[in-house]
Amino acid sequence: MKFQAFKFVFPRSFPILTGFWFVGIAYGAYMNVSGFSFVYPMLMSLIILGGSLEFICVSMLLSTFAPLSAFMVALVVQARHLFYGISMLDKYRGLGIKRYYLIFGMCDETFSINYTSKIPDLLDKGWCFFFVTLLNHFYWVSGSTLGGILGEFISFDTTGLWFVMEALFVVIFIEQWKNDKKHQNGIIGIGVTALCLITIGKDSFLLASMIIIFSILSLQYIYTRKVKGLLLSNG
């Protein structure tokens, strides 16, 4: 069963290898240029597993010790994972101990695959989710480590490299839009973000929109669970 699950998810996760290695190698090389050995990007990608935050952490490591500031930056940068968590509550329910690793390893690309993949009934969904998460985790760690090692011998301009991640976010959104018949969550996200951008401005709209969207989706989830509970109790 585990091997069949691995065979099913590997081709679906393989395209992520290209993007993760491309950005991961650049990140590892950037760490090396900043004066850190390959051990730093290897451990940070293994433990943090957040590409945007890991790039920001380079400047944090080079600046004065400010744990509260670092916490707030990490919270803002990774706040989108709150929405991923809400979306995956039902899918990860009842998966036992695997659920803890799935929660830890839920990056943008892993969420996209696990949320949109239609897993055959003959396969164990828990193991499919697990192998997607594990493979993507391995791709990022290996790419970052390789970049940290190669950074000793090569150097290149990384300007504009993040267009890869931005394009990937657009693809993730389009794929979710296609798979969601109601488009309710997508409309909420676009509408709230646009409203905050107009009313608050580009400097502060991101955090405000995330808080509002998270609140709306949380209330929506609680209401849906209550309705399902009432239907089951009455049926």
Side-chain angles (χ1 to χ4, degrees):
M1 182 62 71
K2 295 177 185 178
F3 181 68
Q4 293 300 322
F6 181 86
K7 283 178 60 179
F8 175 77
V9 303
F10 178 70
R12 288 161 176 77
S13 71
F14 190 75
I16 306 299
L17 172 64
T18 305
F20 270 16
W21 267 37
F22 190 63
V23 180
I25 289 174
Y27 163 65
Y30 176 52
M31 285 287 287
N32 182 271
V33 171
S34 301
F36 300 97
S37 71
F38 76 93
V39 177
Y40 280 84
M42 180 180 69
L43 292 178
M44 289 173 66
S45 58
L46 181 66
I47 298 171
I48 298 176
L49 191 57
S52 305
L53 182 58
E54 289 177 47
F55 271 90
I56 296 173
C57 281
V58 179
S59 60
M60 291 183 184
L61 291 172
L62 294 174
S63 61
T64 56
F65 180 65
L68 181 59
S69 175
F71 172 78
M72 293 303 299
V73 169
L75 181 62
V76 172
V77 172
Q78 300 297 99
R80 64 187 185 279
H81 289 202
L82 296 171
F83 312 128
Y84 299 164
I86 294 175
S87 302
M88 299 301 289
L89 281 174
D90 290 328
K91 289 181 177 290
Y92 286 175
R93 193 181 304 277
L95 297 183
I97 196 172
K98 292 192 292 293
R99 182 165 60 97
Y100 297 103
Y101 177 66
L102 295 176
I103 293 171
F104 163 75
M106 190 163 52
C107 62
D108 306 302
E109 296 75 16
T110 298
F111 165 76
S112 177
I113 297 174
N114 283 341
Y115 185 80
T116 59
S117 293
K118 297 180 180 178
I119 302 173
D121 294 333
L122 295 176
L123 296 179
D124 186 301
K125 292 184 179 181
W127 282 113
C128 288
F129 293 153
F130 176 82
F131 283 125
V132 168
T133 307
L134 183 65
L135 285 168
N136 287 345
H137 195 178
F138 171 74
Y139 298 153
W140 179 246
V141 173
S142 59
S144 301
T145 305
L146 184 60
I149 296 173
L150 294 178
E152 296 281 353
F153 310 101
I154 60 174
S155 61
F156 55 91
D157 185 10
T158 60
T159 304
L161 191 63
W162 273 102
F163 83 94
V164 176
M165 303 305 294
E166 294 174 358
L168 191 56
F169 291 151
V170 174
V171 172
I172 290 171
F173 177 79
I174 293 174
E175 188 66 23
Q176 292 174 17
W177 181 273
K178 290 167 60 179
N179 284 279
D180 187 0
K181 295 180 181 180
K182 297 181 179 179
H183 307 307
Q184 182 176 341
N185 293 338
I187 294 172
I188 291 172
I190 294 173
V192 171
T193 303
L195 182 63
C196 290
L197 178 61
I198 294 170
T199 57
I200 300 176
K202 64 180 181 179
D203 294 330
S204 307
F205 83 98
L206 186 59
L207 180 58
S209 61
M210 285 183 174
I211 293 173
I212 296 172
I213 294 171
F214 176 72
S215 301
I216 294 174
L217 294 181
S218 297
L219 293 173
Q220 177 182 292
Y221 176 78
I222 293 171
Y223 174 77
T224 303
R225 296 295 299 178
K226 286 185 176 180
V227 170
K228 286 183 179 180
L230 289 173
L231 292 175
L232 289 173
S233 61
N234 294 329

